Amino acid sequence: MEVLFERVAGLDIGKESLTVCMRIPGPGGRRVSETRTVKTTTRALGVMR
């Protein structure tokens, strides 16, 4: 049986930055992707949360 996930996310964690990519359902059955990159400071990580 094949399992499909409706919402997924991936993280790329580096020493100076963190990149997150999310794919969520969009209008018309299409997928919407959003990518954000932030610094790894405490304040920036709080915003990413």
Side-chain angles (χ1 to χ4, degrees):
M1 177 167 83
E2 184 176 345
V3 178
L4 299 176
F5 294 96
E6 191 171 281
R7 298 171 183 268
V8 296
L11 294 171
D12 182 17
I13 303 170
K15 185 174 183 178
E16 296 182 10
S17 67
L18 167 75
T19 302
V20 177
C21 180
M22 301 178 295
R23 291 193 62 168
I24 59 174
R30 300 187 63 133
R31 299 278 182 238
V32 176
S33 296
E34 182 178 345
T35 302
R36 292 186 186 180
T37 300
V38 297
K39 295 188 179 282
T40 54
T41 62
T42 302
R43 180 174 290 214
L45 293 175
V47 170
M48 180 59 75
R49 179 185 64 154

